[in-house]
Amino acid sequence: MSELLDAVRAGRVEDVPGLLKPLTARERAAGLRELKALRAEVRDQPWTRWRERRRLRDALLVAGAGCQRGAASAVAWLGAADLRGGDGLPDALLAEVLSYQEPAWLAEVAHRLAGRPSTAREDYPLVAALVRLAGCPMPVTDALTRGWVDAIAMSESTTPLASGLRADPQAREMVFGLFEVAEVPFVVEWRPDPGEAGDWPGVLATLAGEGVLERDTLVAACLARLLRGGRPRDLPFFLKLLRRLELTGEEERAHVADWIGMVSDGASTVAALAQEVLARLARSGALPAAALADVSGSALFRPEKKLVKAQLVLLGKVLRSDPAAAGVLLPVVGEAFGHEDTDVQDRALKLVARHLPAVDADVRSALAAAAAGLSPVHRARAAGVFGGQAVPVADAGPYEEILPPVPRPVLVAPAAASLAGLVEEMAAFGRAGGEPGAYDPAGMIAFERLLDGLVRHAHTDRAGLADALRDPLADRWWRKYEGPGDLDFRAGPLPGVDRVAAAVLEQLSVRALWDANARPARSACCADTELDGVVEARLREIAYLVRTRSLPFLLATPTWSTGAVDPDVLVERLRTYQRLCAAPAPVDFAQALVRVRREGTDPATVRAAAALGTTEGDRLAAWLAGKTPAPGLKRADEPADGERSEGAYGWSRSAPGRLLVGTRQRLVVRRDFPPAFHWLGRASAPSRACHHWSTGVTHWPGVLPEDRETLAAWLLPGIAAGVEGDRRAETWWLPVVAEAGGPAGPAVRLGIAYGLAARHPRDRLSAVDALLVLAARGQLDGPQLGLDMAMLAISGTVKLNRVADSARTAAATGAYRTVWSVLGAALSGLLTDTSRPGLGDLLSVAAECVESGAVTGEDPVIPALAAVAQRGGSSRLTTQAARLLTALRQ
């Protein structure tokens, strides 16, 4: 046994199987106890001894696995994070030391390993070896399927994909795992050339033709996955496979229910394929009229106009070939009278008019009643279709604008008063991943409360706080370093509240903290790094003061959920500092100033701040009274105050052709604020978007919760890039600034205008939310936003079809009057040049707003509309212009 332990300590993993083979069960059990002790010894070694840890790891893993008696304990040993590295497992050696076990034992270990989502992917080679030894079925799990794909991809360098799958005894089971995984592996779905040898859909179809894979099962699995749906990027793989399989007519008829389900609920590309198949079946007579009516009822109300129009075309062909089906199919066509798109309504009405003589009186009456859903522009023609009978109009009552509830900020709970409560919050914050990857107001408040709690408890009992934090933070990577020198020079800056905790635990030296705190603010070209810099500077300051001159509490801790600080609360905090003879920290006080609410401040609060008789009290009084200009944007009506002015407040053009908002230089910022805030006093906001890696700091709105115009001006380059390029999630801040404090002027409006035209639909939803929140708060200048939107469209920056999509989404919530206030102003500028793509879509949404009853009276846009409508023709632009003109004149 000592020989085995010596081999493990020396890292001679290749000797372990031979040393284990002659050992009895009792000797292995005794050896396992010693190996566990060695494992604990290795686990407690600091990270600086990583070479020794790595040398021992594989030998310890193989030896311990060979000494296990129970399958569960063996899997726990094999899955232990401290025994695994990033370079994979020694699979051959593990299979050798486990091969002496019974087949049932090996099968259980294989199935348990396959069921571990965190490790099964890299364990596929070991699981496959155990399955071969046990002679059991292959367990098919999500992670194991991905591991199998990885193994196949690795072998493609020497063996073609088709040959590898033919020779793989597990291929029959594992292929069908591809239809169950949550995300299709990238290597499977991506092939630039369908003719390549590694094209998975083509190879699978070939193997199905050869009988290597069961064709019927493959077809059924593919259809089931398409019917179930999934990520848009995964569906093309299954669509390609289905097309490569080239289903016969008999196979298509056998799955009619699946095709109908795909048309009803599938993704647009899936529904389009299913629609093609059903069209073939309907034309051949294999699809009964009742089934076609059933699927059409769903297809005609899909959002994709192409699918809707294709379904109407199909219904028209079937009705021409089988007029007797009119009684079954026309009622479904009549349901399209209520479609939001008037072009669809027009097609449906023409189809009904063509085949109406073939139906009985009951169907005619039902269709006449359904015509109530037609747009006013079609009602006169509908009356002619139904023999001069007036089309009924539903009485919706007086119009009522529906807007979301006005968001109300809530008071923030104070930091945890007890040490146990603070430690619990610290541990929970760490488990949640610290600063979240996307802005979360609750995460920002939790971050601020933790900072304040650490400062408060460090002030009263830093030794007790350090003792309380040691065990809960034992799993933090920075706790593995032996001394402050190691952490100072090897680990680099620590993230978030961990830096303050490391200072409390004295794992960062005072010299390193001083150097970091004295470091000058870095120069940056984008808002990301500047806003990060404020959070970073405050963390550096707090971590340094925790070790040297502890503060009683933080002045800038928010009192409201938006991140704002109540002025009366800040005055009381300064009074407490004065009573305790504590000097405010510069960055913390500066952050408190830009967070404090200035609008509507009670004069008594200003007098109370001035009565403190301190420098900070005087600065706060001047700040609240408006004597000190706020950093950032300068209002048009604001006096110059003797400051040099650069950069006009208003529109400024930036390359390549983007419109941003200019700022003015503020010398007071450089004079009175710490360096981390000097960017607020620059003559202009950054003119280009950043392209660096994100730092993960997402507390930017908490830096300027009461100056959303400045925040918006600095974040505009990123959102503008999201309109033209492929950048995502650049509009996340729009709903946040809509709920924040301060004026909502040109920068906020321009941000919403860009957001409504963002490339990705999910990003456009953020702009819609911001638009509605501002409207609910009575802070939306709709006509000016419309003019801004027209300016962006005229400059070629935004696409009107995206704006129309956003406007329709906003109007669908019931905010028709709000949307019209924007579109009516935009159209006055856009109708001067009707060649812009998407203008017809915008006119359609505008017509919906007017038809809802939200708009009354004449409108100045009518002459321009009349000029477009008089052109005639059937283009979407002219038909929608005529529709809007009719609605405005009624």
Side-chain angles (χ1 to χ4, degrees), residues 384-701:
V385 170
F386 293 106
Q389 178 181 351
V391 175
V393 179
D395 183 13
Y399 175 79
E400 182 180 356
E401 184 85 347
I402 300 175
L403 293 171
V406 177
R408 303 290 184 188
V410 297
L411 283 171
V412 174
S418 68
L419 192 55
L422 176 68
V423 171
E424 183 178 351
E425 289 184 14
M426 183 77 181
F429 192 71
R431 287 194 297 271
E435 290 76 11
Y439 178 68
D440 173 23
M444 184 268 290
I445 294 300
F447 173 79
E448 292 288 344
R449 289 181 68 251
L450 268 178
L451 280 181
D452 190 40
L454 288 169
V455 168
R456 288 174 182 269
H457 286 279
H459 179 70
T460 55
D461 184 9
R462 184 161 66 88
L465 176 60
D467 290 340
L469 289 176
R470 267 190 194 94
D471 289 341
L473 302 184
D475 60 340
R476 297 291 208 272
W477 63 268
W478 47 268
R479 290 294 314 281
K480 302 294 183 181
Y481 285 83
E482 292 180 313
D486 265 338
L487 194 58
D488 289 345
F489 301 108
R490 295 179 185 234
L494 290 172
V497 293
D498 276 16
R499 182 175 311 181
V500 180
V504 170
L505 292 168
E506 298 187 6
Q507 287 199 251
L508 290 168
S509 68
V510 174
R511 176 57 185 269
L513 290 170
W514 185 89
D515 287 342
N517 193 41
R519 188 180 307 145
R522 54 186 172 179
S523 177
C525 64
C526 67
D528 297 30
T529 50
E530 298 288 16
L531 288 162
D532 288 349
V534 174
V535 180
E536 174 73 14
R538 191 154 168 257
L539 285 170
R540 291 198 305 260
E541 179 183 78
I542 292 170
Y544 173 68
L545 293 177
V546 159
R547 289 289 303 277
T548 56
R549 176 178 63 84
S550 64
L551 302 170
F553 51 81
L554 295 177
L555 295 172
T557 302
T559 51
W560 297 98
S561 56
T562 60
V565 175
D566 185 90
D568 291 313
V569 172
L570 183 54
V571 170
E572 185 58 34
R573 289 175 181 174
L574 287 174
R575 184 177 291 116
T576 304
Y577 260 64
Q578 185 183 35
R579 187 174 65 253
L580 297 175
C581 297
V587 179
D588 184 44
F589 178 66
Q591 178 65 93
L593 277 184
V594 296
R595 278 181 176 170
V596 73
R597 285 185 170 178
R598 303 212 307 172
E599 293 186 27
T601 303
D602 189 341
T605 305
V606 178
R607 291 193 296 270
L612 293 175
T614 63
T615 302
E616 289 77 18
D618 293 342
R619 287 184 61 190
L620 176 59
W623 184 263
L624 293 176
K627 297 178 181 178
T628 301
L633 301 182
K634 180 178 178 63
R635 298 189 304 273
D637 59 347
E638 186 177 332
D641 293 332
E643 292 192 346
R644 181 167 140 254
S645 171
E646 294 182 7
Y649 173 61
W651 299 104
S652 65
R653 185 173 296 274
S654 66
R658 298 172 188 159
L659 295 174
L660 303 177
V661 172
T663 60
R664 284 187 181 271
Q665 180 168 284
R666 293 291 198 188
L667 299 182
V668 68
V669 175
R670 293 185 175 274
R671 184 184 68 226
D672 296 340
F673 281 76
F677 291 86
H678 286 179
W679 58 278
L680 286 171
R682 281 194 201 149
S684 62
S687 60
R688 60 190 176 95
C690 57
H691 298 283
H692 56 74
W693 287 103
S694 172
T695 62
V697 177
T698 51
H699 304 323
W700 302 338

